[in-house]
Amino acid sequence: MTDDAWQGMLFGATSAEGETIEDGPVDELRVCALNVNSPNPSRAQRIVNWLLATKSNTLVLTEMQPSEGGRHMLAALQAEGFTTTCPPGWKDVRYFTAVATRGVEAVPVQPAGFDPRIAAVDLTSDATAVRLVGLYGPTNGMTPESSHRRREFQRRFLDYLAEINNSTLCVAGDLNVVEPNHRPHLPAFEDHDYAFYTGLLALGLRDAYRELNPAGGDHSWLNPRFGNQRLDHSLVSAGAGNIRACAYDHTTRSDDLSDHAALLTTIGLCADRAAMNGQGAG
């Protein structure tokens, strides 16, 4: 397959159930954010099959690698009619984030992110205009070096978001941070991790899960040694649309597809979103 093919094109494909892909206006974004845990080709295909069953039209895939498994996943999604967008430099790094869409057009945001862990796209259709930023934040290695690396990445990412921010911004993926009042308390997270989370909210973003589950105690990564953690997030600005649903799906963990739960978020869109997208666009 050529390099251009790896980047993805919108094919006239059918879904796993043989249904024709919708050609009409999209009135909601069904976003599935999943840390795919660096799959081999066999697990990559199983993950693709699972993703298709969710009926999501927007996928944010984190902990992708430019390996045989990662490339297989991109190709398999393309064969199912998804357009895949990978950030600049994705072939030359250990980890990257990919965005895949079906039924909505995805145009890379300029300027692009400073690291392939960031995939920023404008999603557009007749009824859709959303600026989506997929993120795979640096892992908490619980060392001073890890803390410094995370802090600098978080600072640069907030600066980048401020640069490209508009009224329809959404951020989704494995941010590798937890909210300040997370339960259980996790002493390995530091002040800058909590400041990163609150800094995202300060940009006008709403934590979709917390918005619908004020007292919810779900976690997306479960570990008896390091504590259960809600690391995967979907953050949505008011201008992007109404948060209709947001929930963690743990079948990705129980079926050994990933060590993370998937986060499924539905955003209801309005017909005039396209006009709103011009406000503050970079």
Side-chain angles (χ1 to χ4, degrees), residues 12 41 48 60 72 81 84 91 96 121 126 138 151 195 200 215 235-236 242 254 256:
V48 168
V60 177
H72 178 94
T84 59
K91 299 177 184 177
F96 69 96
V121 295
D126 290 343
R151 182 172 60 249
L200 292 169
L235 308 171
V236 183
N242 300 317
S254 61
D256 293 324

PDB file of all heavy atoms in Angstrom, residues 12 41 48 60 72 81 84 91 96 121 126 138 151 195 200 215 235-236 242 254 256:
ATOM      1  N   GLY A  12     -16.635   4.073  -0.795  1.00  0.00           N
ATOM      2  CA  GLY A  12     -18.050   3.711  -0.753  1.00  0.00           C
ATOM      3  C   GLY A  12     -18.203   2.327  -0.182  1.00  0.00           C
ATOM      4  O   GLY A  12     -18.684   1.418  -0.855  1.00  0.00           O
ATOM      5  N   PRO A  41      -1.076  -7.223  14.725  1.00  0.00           N
ATOM      6  CA  PRO A  41      -2.097  -7.267  13.667  1.00  0.00           C
ATOM      7  C   PRO A  41      -3.350  -8.040  14.047  1.00  0.00           C
ATOM      8  O   PRO A  41      -4.463  -7.632  13.702  1.00  0.00           O
ATOM      9  CB  PRO A  41      -1.352  -7.928  12.499  1.00  0.00           C
ATOM     10  CG  PRO A  41       0.074  -7.564  12.713  1.00  0.00           C
ATOM     11  CD  PRO A  41       0.261  -7.581  14.212  1.00  0.00           C
ATOM     12  N   VAL A  48     -10.738  -3.346  15.508  1.00  0.00           N
ATOM     13  CA  VAL A  48     -11.517  -2.739  14.417  1.00  0.00           C
ATOM     14  C   VAL A  48     -12.919  -3.319  14.395  1.00  0.00           C
ATOM     15  O   VAL A  48     -13.913  -2.582  14.265  1.00  0.00           O
ATOM     16  CB  VAL A  48     -10.810  -2.948  13.069  1.00  0.00           C
ATOM     17  CG1 VAL A  48     -11.740  -2.588  11.907  1.00  0.00           C
ATOM     18  CG2 VAL A  48      -9.543  -2.110  13.002  1.00  0.00           C
ATOM     19  N   VAL A  60     -11.185   8.270  18.092  1.00  0.00           N
ATOM     20  CA  VAL A  60      -9.922   8.846  18.558  1.00  0.00           C
ATOM     21  C   VAL A  60      -9.113   7.692  19.131  1.00  0.00           C
ATOM     22  O   VAL A  60      -9.468   7.127  20.173  1.00  0.00           O
ATOM     23  CB  VAL A  60     -10.145   9.940  19.619  1.00  0.00           C
ATOM     24  CG1 VAL A  60      -8.800  10.458  20.134  1.00  0.00           C
ATOM     25  CG2 VAL A  60     -10.970  11.080  19.044  1.00  0.00           C
ATOM     26  N   HIS A  72      -2.034  -1.969  10.148  1.00  0.00           N
ATOM     27  CA  HIS A  72      -3.162  -2.841   9.832  1.00  0.00           C
ATOM     28  C   HIS A  72      -4.466  -2.190  10.276  1.00  0.00           C
ATOM     29  O   HIS A  72      -5.472  -2.242   9.549  1.00  0.00           O
ATOM     30  CB  HIS A  72      -2.988  -4.194  10.521  1.00  0.00           C
ATOM     31  CG  HIS A  72      -4.134  -5.132  10.273  1.00  0.00           C
ATOM     32  ND1 HIS A  72      -4.134  -6.065   9.256  1.00  0.00           N
ATOM     33  CD2 HIS A  72      -5.342  -5.267  10.904  1.00  0.00           C
ATOM     34  CE1 HIS A  72      -5.273  -6.729   9.260  1.00  0.00           C
ATOM     35  NE2 HIS A  72      -6.019  -6.262  10.262  1.00  0.00           N
ATOM     36  N   GLY A  81     -14.523   2.286   4.998  1.00  0.00           N
ATOM     37  CA  GLY A  81     -15.083   3.581   4.642  1.00  0.00           C
ATOM     38  C   GLY A  81     -14.694   4.724   5.532  1.00  0.00           C
ATOM     39  O   GLY A  81     -15.233   5.828   5.399  1.00  0.00           O
ATOM     40  N   THR A  84      -8.852   8.183   7.664  1.00  0.00           N
ATOM     41  CA  THR A  84      -7.949   8.215   8.803  1.00  0.00           C
ATOM     42  C   THR A  84      -7.011   9.399   8.674  1.00  0.00           C
ATOM     43  O   THR A  84      -6.461   9.658   7.599  1.00  0.00           O
ATOM     44  CB  THR A  84      -7.136   6.917   8.916  1.00  0.00           C
ATOM     45  OG1 THR A  84      -6.375   6.715   7.727  1.00  0.00           O
ATOM     46  CG2 THR A  84      -8.057   5.723   9.134  1.00  0.00           C
ATOM     47  N   LYS A  91       5.118   8.427  11.480  1.00  0.00           N
ATOM     48  CA  LYS A  91       5.879   7.229  11.114  1.00  0.00           C
ATOM     49  C   LYS A  91       7.218   7.133  11.835  1.00  0.00           C
ATOM     50  O   LYS A  91       7.860   6.081  11.816  1.00  0.00           O
ATOM     51  CB  LYS A  91       6.130   7.199   9.608  1.00  0.00           C
ATOM     52  CG  LYS A  91       4.879   7.167   8.760  1.00  0.00           C
ATOM     53  CD  LYS A  91       5.249   7.219   7.288  1.00  0.00           C
ATOM     54  CE  LYS A  91       4.013   7.291   6.404  1.00  0.00           C
ATOM     55  NZ  LYS A  91       4.371   7.407   4.976  1.00  0.00           N
ATOM     56  N   PHE A  96       1.651   7.601  18.580  1.00  0.00           N
ATOM     57  CA  PHE A  96       0.927   8.701  17.970  1.00  0.00           C
ATOM     58  C   PHE A  96      -0.566   8.499  18.193  1.00  0.00           C
ATOM     59  O   PHE A  96      -1.027   7.436  18.635  1.00  0.00           O
ATOM     60  CB  PHE A  96       1.253   8.821  16.468  1.00  0.00           C
ATOM     61  CG  PHE A  96       0.724   7.705  15.602  1.00  0.00           C
ATOM     62  CD1 PHE A  96      -0.484   7.832  14.922  1.00  0.00           C
ATOM     63  CD2 PHE A  96       1.433   6.523  15.457  1.00  0.00           C
ATOM     64  CE1 PHE A  96      -0.979   6.814  14.110  1.00  0.00           C
ATOM     65  CE2 PHE A  96       0.960   5.493  14.648  1.00  0.00           C
ATOM     66  CZ  PHE A  96      -0.244   5.640  13.972  1.00  0.00           C
ATOM     67  N   VAL A 121      -8.191  18.006  14.069  1.00  0.00           N
ATOM     68  CA  VAL A 121      -8.929  18.045  12.800  1.00  0.00           C
ATOM     69  C   VAL A 121     -10.189  18.892  12.961  1.00  0.00           C
ATOM     70  O   VAL A 121     -10.766  18.972  14.046  1.00  0.00           O
ATOM     71  CB  VAL A 121      -9.327  16.631  12.321  1.00  0.00           C
ATOM     72  CG1 VAL A 121      -8.098  15.803  11.975  1.00  0.00           C
ATOM     73  CG2 VAL A 121     -10.183  15.911  13.359  1.00  0.00           C
ATOM     74  N   ASP A 126     -22.872  18.945   6.377  1.00  0.00           N
ATOM     75  CA  ASP A 126     -23.947  19.935   6.248  1.00  0.00           C
ATOM     76  C   ASP A 126     -24.390  20.476   7.603  1.00  0.00           C
ATOM     77  O   ASP A 126     -24.791  21.628   7.712  1.00  0.00           O
ATOM     78  CB  ASP A 126     -25.146  19.327   5.526  1.00  0.00           C
ATOM     79  CG  ASP A 126     -24.857  19.064   4.055  1.00  0.00           C
ATOM     80  OD1 ASP A 126     -23.869  19.633   3.541  1.00  0.00           O
ATOM     81  OD2 ASP A 126     -25.594  18.285   3.433  1.00  0.00           O
ATOM     82  N   PRO A 138       1.523  12.056  27.936  1.00  0.00           N
ATOM     83  CA  PRO A 138       2.620  11.236  28.440  1.00  0.00           C
ATOM     84  C   PRO A 138       2.224  10.476  29.696  1.00  0.00           C
ATOM     85  O   PRO A 138       1.519  10.992  30.565  1.00  0.00           O
ATOM     86  CB  PRO A 138       3.718  12.259  28.744  1.00  0.00           C
ATOM     87  CG  PRO A 138       3.387  13.434  27.885  1.00  0.00           C
ATOM     88  CD  PRO A 138       1.886  13.473  27.818  1.00  0.00           C
ATOM     89  N   ARG A 151       4.974  17.711  32.722  1.00  0.00           N
ATOM     90  CA  ARG A 151       4.683  19.124  32.980  1.00  0.00           C
ATOM     91  C   ARG A 151       4.960  19.979  31.746  1.00  0.00           C
ATOM     92  O   ARG A 151       4.152  20.842  31.383  1.00  0.00           O
ATOM     93  CB  ARG A 151       5.509  19.615  34.173  1.00  0.00           C
ATOM     94  CG  ARG A 151       5.235  21.078  34.539  1.00  0.00           C
ATOM     95  CD  ARG A 151       5.919  21.478  35.830  1.00  0.00           C
ATOM     96  NE  ARG A 151       7.366  21.321  35.740  1.00  0.00           N
ATOM     97  CZ  ARG A 151       8.060  20.406  36.395  1.00  0.00           C
ATOM     98  NH1 ARG A 151       7.443  19.550  37.206  1.00  0.00           N
ATOM     99  NH2 ARG A 151       9.371  20.335  36.270  1.00  0.00           N
ATOM    100  N   ALA A 195      -3.487  20.782  37.602  1.00  0.00           N
ATOM    101  CA  ALA A 195      -3.576  22.092  36.954  1.00  0.00           C
ATOM    102  C   ALA A 195      -3.819  21.935  35.460  1.00  0.00           C
ATOM    103  O   ALA A 195      -4.481  22.786  34.838  1.00  0.00           O
ATOM    104  CB  ALA A 195      -2.297  22.884  37.204  1.00  0.00           C
ATOM    105  N   LEU A 200      -7.698  22.871  31.139  1.00  0.00           N
ATOM    106  CA  LEU A 200      -8.559  22.517  30.017  1.00  0.00           C
ATOM    107  C   LEU A 200      -9.972  23.053  30.237  1.00  0.00           C
ATOM    108  O   LEU A 200     -10.595  23.600  29.326  1.00  0.00           O
ATOM    109  CB  LEU A 200      -8.580  21.001  29.838  1.00  0.00           C
ATOM    110  CG  LEU A 200      -7.263  20.369  29.373  1.00  0.00           C
ATOM    111  CD1 LEU A 200      -7.322  18.857  29.503  1.00  0.00           C
ATOM    112  CD2 LEU A 200      -6.948  20.765  27.938  1.00  0.00           C
ATOM    113  N   ALA A 215     -21.799  12.423  40.350  1.00  0.00           N
ATOM    114  CA  ALA A 215     -21.268  11.604  41.447  1.00  0.00           C
ATOM    115  C   ALA A 215     -20.701  10.280  40.940  1.00  0.00           C
ATOM    116  O   ALA A 215     -20.442   9.370  41.731  1.00  0.00           O
ATOM    117  CB  ALA A 215     -22.370  11.338  42.481  1.00  0.00           C
ATOM    118  N   LEU A 235     -13.807  16.067  26.514  1.00  0.00           N
ATOM    119  CA  LEU A 235     -14.069  17.430  26.964  1.00  0.00           C
ATOM    120  C   LEU A 235     -14.683  18.213  25.813  1.00  0.00           C
ATOM    121  O   LEU A 235     -14.103  18.277  24.722  1.00  0.00           O
ATOM    122  CB  LEU A 235     -12.772  18.090  27.436  1.00  0.00           C
ATOM    123  CG  LEU A 235     -11.971  17.287  28.475  1.00  0.00           C
ATOM    124  CD1 LEU A 235     -10.611  17.930  28.711  1.00  0.00           C
ATOM    125  CD2 LEU A 235     -12.737  17.184  29.788  1.00  0.00           C
ATOM    126  N   VAL A 236     -15.835  18.827  26.054  1.00  0.00           N
ATOM    127  CA  VAL A 236     -16.654  19.386  24.980  1.00  0.00           C
ATOM    128  C   VAL A 236     -17.031  20.828  25.302  1.00  0.00           C
ATOM    129  O   VAL A 236     -17.542  21.108  26.398  1.00  0.00           O
ATOM    130  CB  VAL A 236     -17.936  18.545  24.785  1.00  0.00           C
ATOM    131  CG1 VAL A 236     -18.762  19.073  23.619  1.00  0.00           C
ATOM    132  CG2 VAL A 236     -17.599  17.074  24.588  1.00  0.00           C
ATOM    133  N   ASN A 242     -24.750  19.633  22.189  1.00  0.00           N
ATOM    134  CA  ASN A 242     -25.264  19.114  23.453  1.00  0.00           C
ATOM    135  C   ASN A 242     -24.683  17.735  23.738  1.00  0.00           C
ATOM    136  O   ASN A 242     -24.646  16.873  22.863  1.00  0.00           O
ATOM    137  CB  ASN A 242     -26.793  19.013  23.402  1.00  0.00           C
ATOM    138  CG  ASN A 242     -27.439  20.364  23.161  1.00  0.00           C
ATOM    139  OD1 ASN A 242     -27.029  21.361  23.749  1.00  0.00           O
ATOM    140  ND2 ASN A 242     -28.440  20.397  22.287  1.00  0.00           N
ATOM    141  N   SER A 254     -12.519  -6.490  29.193  1.00  0.00           N
ATOM    142  CA  SER A 254     -12.933  -7.869  29.482  1.00  0.00           C
ATOM    143  C   SER A 254     -12.667  -8.804  28.311  1.00  0.00           C
ATOM    144  O   SER A 254     -12.461 -10.011  28.509  1.00  0.00           O
ATOM    145  CB  SER A 254     -14.419  -7.908  29.863  1.00  0.00           C
ATOM    146  OG  SER A 254     -15.231  -7.439  28.795  1.00  0.00           O
ATOM    147  N   ASP A 256     -10.056  -8.495  26.352  1.00  0.00           N
ATOM    148  CA  ASP A 256      -8.605  -8.446  26.106  1.00  0.00           C
ATOM    149  C   ASP A 256      -8.254  -7.727  24.805  1.00  0.00           C
ATOM    150  O   ASP A 256      -7.312  -8.100  24.106  1.00  0.00           O
ATOM    151  CB  ASP A 256      -8.006  -9.859  26.097  1.00  0.00           C
ATOM    152  CG  ASP A 256      -8.069 -10.528  27.462  1.00  0.00           C
ATOM    153  OD1 ASP A 256      -7.913  -9.825  28.477  1.00  0.00           O
ATOM    154  OD2 ASP A 256      -8.290 -11.748  27.500  1.00  0.00           O
TER     155      ASP A 256
END
